Amino acid sequence: MGQASSAAACALGADHEHEEQEEDEGEGGAGGVGGRFSGLDLTAFAPDECLAAVFQKLEPADRRRCSLVSKRWRRVEGQARQRLSLQAWLEIGPALPALLERFQHVTKLTLKCDRKRGSIDDDALCVIGQRCQQLQKLKLKACKGLTDSGIDRFAQVCGPLQKFSCASCQFGPPGLNSLLQHCANLEDLTVKRLRGFVESSEFVRPGTCSIRRLCLKDLPNAQLLGPLIAGSKNLHTLMLSRVSGNWDRLFEAITVHMTSLIELHMEKVALTDQGLQAVARCTNLQVLYVVKPAECTNKGLSSIANGCPDLRKLHVDGWKNSRVGDEGLATVARKCKDLQELVIIGLNATMSSLSLLASNCLSLERLAICTSDTFGDSELSCIADKCLALKKLCIKGCPISDRGMEALVGGCPSLVKIKVKKCRAVTPASIASLLSNRVSLVVTLDTSAIPVAPEAQCAVQVRPVQDNNITQENAPAPSTRSPLARARFAMAVVACTFMRWSASNGS
């Protein structure tokens, strides 16, 4: 019993040091409310619901300290906790029944283990599934002791699980198939670095659930999930990052079934224009992230623009040797007129495509241009003159200067925030001039690589943010009370209010 208790305390990371009594009384404790209530624990008059509401406002470490104050605080804190994170070491297994008996209403559970230590086994995971009948979200990280058999046993006894995330575990496709078959409410699935995929040849199929969001990252043989992607009729978001295999052929085979896809993220995926042409068949696509597509050209981006006219967000990271430029961006400007956010990295955009973009995409609110050798003062002036709805602008590593920044003084009337990074020809003096004309504008300037005059630097960095209406003179002083003292004071005030109400009703 002593070993189980120590394991539970170790898993929760509880701090057993009590707050000092002098601090509690001197900083607004129950006895500090004053008058005839001196010496009484006024928190005893507060209902459990109020006590739980206060606990939910605290950080996890402060909640653990509050649970050590009294038996009542411990009971209420355990019943009110919905999120729980445990160090899933092998030693915690015997303590799990008593631990989960206290936290009966947990809906989100995180089990993470150190790679150098043994993790919980299949029996412990089965206990979690039996005890946590309200569990909706489960995250497993580096739980190397779990097998396909353990995932199958858990899936048969767990509650209404909606979100499942696993990373650096040993199980593979058989375990995922059991999960998809028995968890009918599962909607969100994240799979990262599963070693069970290395030598497996079993396909992952949809099962009885309806997956809406699927994330695959650093996964060997990720194409084994092709049937799941194609068979998920309600798939809303698909995220692929560093997954091996020929995705051109897979997309050609499955995109015809992905009619409900709205958001697609692809990072370092073996993809060419052939794959982008297949993606273009997802006519309802609204958000597209293409990061480091080494083999994609203007042809692929143009096919996306022609096939997906409802695009609202487009991120294209061309990496080093990008073959996407003005032609592809011009097609996007002509076809995707509802575009609200555009991020281009490593693409050499010129006046030709940017002018067309500013004229046609009248709803463009967020624009980021990074590492573009052709984006200079003329292009920035074009953006300032024509992008009337633009609210946020980010420029990084581009050959712009103070002359281009001057165009923003009277341009982009809706602009509220601008970031300028690694643009050596932009000085703090031009930023100070911009701020003097547009006081509500928030500007971030990276001046690490250029010499800055002291007076100009102060003008840029010390200016208060006008949106919050807070200056250094009228800013509120930080509180010096401890979290435990603040919690007690809040519950004491609530208790006094309830006592006054009771007295008035009785009279």
Side-chain angles (χ1 to χ4, degrees):
M1 185 63 182
Q3 182 181 0
S5 300
S6 61
C10 183
L12 285 172
D15 184 5
H16 293 280
E17 296 181 0
H18 292 276
E19 300 288 341
E20 296 183 0
Q21 185 68 22
E22 295 180 358
E23 180 185 6
D24 296 340
E25 294 182 355
E27 297 185 358
V33 177
R36 56 197 179 94
F37 299 115
S38 178
L40 294 177
D41 182 11
L42 298 181
T43 61
F45 297 97
D48 290 349
E49 293 79 5
C50 296
L51 191 62
V54 174
F55 285 151
Q56 291 176 357
K57 301 295 183 180
L58 302 178
E59 296 295 330
D62 296 329
R63 291 188 64 165
R64 288 194 292 268
R65 295 187 181 98
C66 288
S67 66
L68 302 175
V69 172
S70 65
K71 292 182 178 179
R72 178 176 179 247
W73 283 33
R74 178 182 176 85
R75 175 180 56 81
V76 174
E77 193 275 333
Q79 294 178 353
R81 185 182 288 250
Q82 296 181 344
R83 297 185 178 185
L84 186 62
S85 179
L86 300 177
Q87 294 288 351
W89 300 334
L90 183 61
E91 297 81 5
I92 197 179
L96 276 177
L99 188 65
L100 298 178
E101 182 68 22
R102 176 186 170 194
F103 304 107
Q104 298 179 359
H105 303 287
V106 170
T107 59
K108 182 178 180 180
L109 178 62
T110 300
L111 301 173
K112 51 186 178 180
C113 184
D114 194 345
R115 294 185 178 182
K116 298 181 180 180
R117 301 190 59 166
S119 71
I120 59 174
D121 54 13
D122 295 340
D123 294 334
L125 186 63
C126 186
V127 170
I128 293 175
Q130 293 172 344
R131 298 277 182 168
C132 301
Q133 286 300 304
Q134 298 184 23
L135 190 62
Q136 299 178 6
K137 300 179 182 180
L138 176 63
K139 182 177 182 181
L140 305 176
K141 184 176 181 181
C143 296
K144 301 178 291 295
L146 301 180
T147 65
D148 293 318
S149 176
I151 298 296
D152 179 51
R153 292 168 55 191
F154 168 80
Q156 295 183 28
V157 297
C158 70
L161 193 66
Q162 298 178 3
K163 182 177 180 180
F164 181 80
S165 174
C166 55
S168 302
C169 297
Q170 298 287 351
F171 58 89
L176 292 181
N177 279 324
S178 299
L179 198 71
L180 295 169
Q181 183 64 33
H182 295 98
C183 300
N185 296 322
L186 190 63
E187 297 180 350
D188 193 322
L189 178 62
T190 300
V191 182
K192 302 179 182 179
R193 300 181 296 277
L194 284 191
R195 295 177 177 86
F197 274 79
V198 176
E199 299 179 355
S200 178
S201 59
E202 180 179 345
F203 286 98
V204 181
R205 306 186 182 279
T208 60
C209 62
S210 179
I211 296 295
R212 290 181 52 83
R213 180 184 180 275
L214 179 62
C215 177
L216 310 178
K217 184 175 182 180
D218 295 325
L219 194 65
N221 293 330
Q223 294 184 335
L224 294 176
L225 288 100
L228 173 62
I229 300 175
S232 300
K233 303 300 181 182
N234 296 323
L235 187 62
H236 181 280
T237 302
L238 176 62
M239 307 179 71
L240 306 173
S241 177
R242 297 188 292 274
V243 289
S244 59
N246 187 346
W247 285 86
D248 287 343
R249 296 172 56 185
L250 183 60
F251 276 140
E252 285 183 340
I254 66 176
T255 49
V256 67
H257 305 286
M258 301 164 58
T259 56
S260 61
L261 191 66
I262 301 296
E263 186 171 349
L264 176 61
H265 296 237
M266 296 182 292
E267 179 181 357
K268 292 185 179 180
V269 178
L271 197 70
T272 65
D273 291 339
Q274 183 180 357
L276 289 182
Q277 290 173 354
V279 172
R281 290 186 291 183
C282 303
T283 56
N284 294 322
L285 197 65
Q286 298 182 13
V287 180
L288 176 62
Y289 286 66
V290 183
V291 181
K292 299 176 176 57
E295 301 298 327
C296 295
T297 65
N298 287 316
K299 182 180 179 180
L301 185 59
S302 298
S303 63
I304 289 290
N306 289 318
C308 308
D310 295 333
L311 275 180
R312 295 183 296 105
K313 295 182 180 181
L314 177 61
H315 288 220
V316 181
D317 185 350
W319 205 16
K320 300 177 181 179
N321 301 320
S322 176
R323 291 187 288 172
V324 181
D326 267 348
E327 182 182 346
L329 292 176
T331 308
V332 170
R334 285 191 291 265
K335 298 295 183 179
C336 306
K337 296 185 178 181
D338 295 331
L339 197 65
Q340 299 177 3
E341 180 177 318
L342 176 63
V343 178
I344 51 177
I345 302 174
L347 276 64
N348 290 327
T350 64
M351 182 75 72
S352 175
S353 59
L354 291 175
S355 177
L356 190 61
L357 185 72
S359 301
N360 290 355
C361 302
L362 302 180
S363 301
L364 189 63
E365 297 181 351
R366 296 173 294 277
L367 175 63
I369 302 178
C370 307
T371 321
S372 177
D373 297 333
T374 58
F375 186 81
D377 293 336
S378 301
E379 288 74 17
L380 181 57
S381 299
C382 175
I383 295 296
D385 293 338
K386 297 184 178 182
C387 291
L388 303 181
L390 194 64
K391 295 181 179 180
K392 295 182 180 180
L393 175 63
C394 178
I395 306 173
K396 181 179 179 181
C398 299
I400 62 172
S401 65
D402 291 345
R403 187 169 64 87
M405 297 299 296
E406 292 176 359
L408 295 174
V409 174
C412 295
S414 303
L415 194 64
V416 296
K417 188 175 183 179
I418 179 173
K419 292 183 179 180
V420 181
K421 297 183 177 181
K422 297 183 179 180
C423 300
R424 294 178 176 271
V426 178
T427 64
S430 64
I431 303 298
S433 175
L434 178 62
L435 292 175
S436 63
N437 290 275
R438 305 183 66 166
V439 295
S440 61
L441 190 63
V442 178
V443 181
T444 301
L445 175 63
D446 180 11
T447 59
S448 58
I450 56 178
V452 183
E455 60 275 8
Q457 187 177 15
C458 292
V460 175
Q461 295 183 355
V462 179
R463 186 185 67 86
V465 179
Q466 301 294 331
D467 294 342
N468 295 332
N469 295 323
I470 297 178
T471 61
Q472 295 180 355
E473 289 77 8
N474 59 8
S479 175
T480 59
R481 293 177 178 174
S482 67
L484 181 59
R486 290 198 298 269
R488 285 186 170 179
F489 180 75
M491 286 179 284
V493 173
V494 172
C496 291
T497 304
F498 273 94
M499 292 177 65
R500 286 197 296 269
W501 288 348
S502 301
S504 59
N505 293 335
S507 60

